[in-house]
Amino acid sequence: DERRILQYQITLYGDDERLVMARDITRLHRLEQMRRDFVANVSHELRTPLTVLSGYLETYGDLKEMLPPRLSKGIGQMEEQTKRMQSLVNDLLLLSRLEIDRGGEDHQPLEVGSMLESIRRDALALSNQQHSVQVALECEARLVGSEQELRSAISNLAFNAVRYTPEGSQITLRWVALSNGSACIEVDDDGEGIDPVHIPRLTERFYRVDKGRSTATGGTGLGLAIVKHVLLRHDAQLQVESLPGEGALFRCVFPPSRVVNS
Ligand code: ADP
């Protein structure tokens, strides 16, 4: 008498007829859970060896000048690839955590302005001050949520805006009140944009418009999947507007229940 998980589909015909279909998805659910646990465990187990590797590489890095050029170049590449693996493992861990528990324990009203200001500084540092990054506050309300999660979601959007736009581009982080009591955080750039055919798939893990290009920019391929999960946990929605050559606009729309006027 183990618990089963059923999925119902109800179709209405006219006023008084309905068709109810039930599907047993217990097995599917269990498989999905196993997949999540597996990813979480593997990511966790990979952390320790990576920390050890990067520790040694740091020590060797200090000796680079004394080594023949071929060796020191190799160490440089190992450092780079180890960092990439570490970001990948960190993003995988974060994503599994977001999928496994429901969250909500650390939700509180946040000052969006100061959060966007600090993300602006990080984005500028990533771009080596080669982009113009601005914050526009068009809403005075506070946002109820997890500061840590929202910061990582909006940072991902801002870092993408830096990575997928040429130097000199203009990026704006905006907090905007909408007419029905909801509000949104927008990340807007005037870079290369995205062909609309790709937009519905952007939040899939490892989905990339241009595979070669994205690997070179240092992304993990998980950024927008993280954004999507963080927003789901905040009852919010991600909207993407873009055309090739005309920049991209990522909009996170929060419902009125998440927006408090102080
Ligand atoms: P990645 O690590 O590849 O950046 P993401 O999930 O963050 O992974 O993004 C998925 C893909 O969406 C990217 O590979 C890129 O092709 C596209 N993309 C994301 N943000 C932008 C943007 N601001 N402008 C153009 N393309 C973007």
Side-chain angles (χ1 to χ4, degrees), residues 160-161 163-164 189 192-194 202 207-210 214 219-225 248 250:
N160 277 349
R163 291 201 202 101
Y164 298 106
D189 71 56
E192 67 199 44
I194 307 163
L202 287 182
Y207 185 84
R208 278 138 165 186
V209 173
D210 177 347
S214 310
T220 61
L222 297 171
L224 293 178
F250 288 81

Side-chain angles (χ1 to χ4, degrees), residues 105 124 127 170 172 174 176 196 199 202 244 246 261:
E105 303 85 30
L124 271 174
S127 99
Q170 172 93 38
T172 311
R174 211 176 280 121
V176 191
I199 292 179
L202 287 182
E246 293 186 20
N261 287 299

Side-chain angles (χ1 to χ4, degrees), residues 35-66:
R35 179 194 63 81
R36 284 181 198 159
D37 290 349
F38 177 74
V39 174
N41 290 338
V42 170
S43 318
H44 191 76
E45 292 300 324
L46 282 173
R47 268 183 139 181
T48 317
L50 280 172
T51 310
V52 175
L53 269 180
S54 73
Y56 276 110
L57 284 170
E58 209 169 294
T59 318
Y60 294 144
D62 295 341
L63 307 172
K64 253 194 239 163
E65 258 102 81
M66 298 156 63

Side-chain angles (χ1 to χ4, degrees), residues 228-239:
K228 177 182 142 185
H229 277 90
V230 168
L231 293 186
L232 267 178
R233 287 152 73 90
H234 290 82
D235 318 309
Q237 267 187 3
L238 179 66
Q239 297 171 354

Side-chain angles (χ1 to χ4, degrees), residues 4-179:
R4 316 291 303 172
I5 298 166
L6 299 177
Q7 189 179 51
Y8 288 97
Q9 186 184 336
I10 304 173
T11 317
L12 300 175
Y13 293 103
D15 284 341
D16 50 5
E17 273 182 58
R18 56 207 55 175
L19 176 71
V20 181
M21 279 195 288
R23 195 167 147 232
D24 188 335
I25 54 162
T26 316
R27 216 175 100 77
L28 203 71
H29 190 80
R30 219 168 275 152
L31 280 174
E32 179 63 15
Q33 207 160 13
M34 275 166 68
R35 179 194 63 81
R36 284 181 198 159
D37 290 349
F38 177 74
V39 174
N41 290 338
V42 170
S43 318
H44 191 76
E45 292 300 324
L46 282 173
R47 268 183 139 181
T48 317
L50 280 172
T51 310
V52 175
L53 269 180
S54 73
Y56 276 110
L57 284 170
E58 209 169 294
T59 318
Y60 294 144
D62 295 341
L63 307 172
K64 253 194 239 163
E65 258 102 81
M66 298 156 63
L67 297 170
R70 259 182 61 197
L71 264 184
S72 70
K73 193 171 161 222
I75 289 180
Q77 295 215 337
M78 284 195 267
E79 278 174 337
E80 204 177 295
Q81 296 302 325
T82 310
K83 280 209 188 92
R84 251 187 78 193
M85 250 203 279
Q86 280 178 317
S87 345
L88 193 55
V89 164
N90 286 339
D91 274 2
L92 275 172
L93 259 181
L94 174 60
L95 199 51
S96 359
R97 258 188 231 129
L98 294 174
E99 281 184 331
I100 286 169
D101 74 82
R102 299 189 62 200
E105 303 85 30
D106 60 339
H107 286 194
Q108 51 177 313
L110 308 166
E111 295 296 339
V112 179
S114 55
M115 181 172 81
L116 294 185
E117 204 40 64
S118 96
I119 295 174
R120 182 184 90 91
R121 284 193 294 270
D122 294 345
L124 271 174
L126 178 71
S127 99
N128 249 327
Q129 323 287 326
Q130 296 307 305
H131 288 73
S132 146
V133 188
Q134 282 173 356
V135 170
L137 294 178
E138 295 163 20
C139 176
E140 291 187 352
R142 287 187 293 169
L143 173 61
V144 180
S146 152
E147 164 137 34
Q148 205 188 1
E149 289 176 20
L150 289 167
R151 182 184 287 271
S152 89
I154 308 301
S155 300
N156 276 324
L157 295 176
F159 295 170
N160 277 349
V162 169
R163 291 201 202 101
Y164 298 106
T165 59
E167 288 181 357
S169 298
Q170 172 93 38
I171 297 164
T172 311
L173 315 176
R174 211 176 280 121
W175 175 222
V176 191
L178 302 175
S179 54

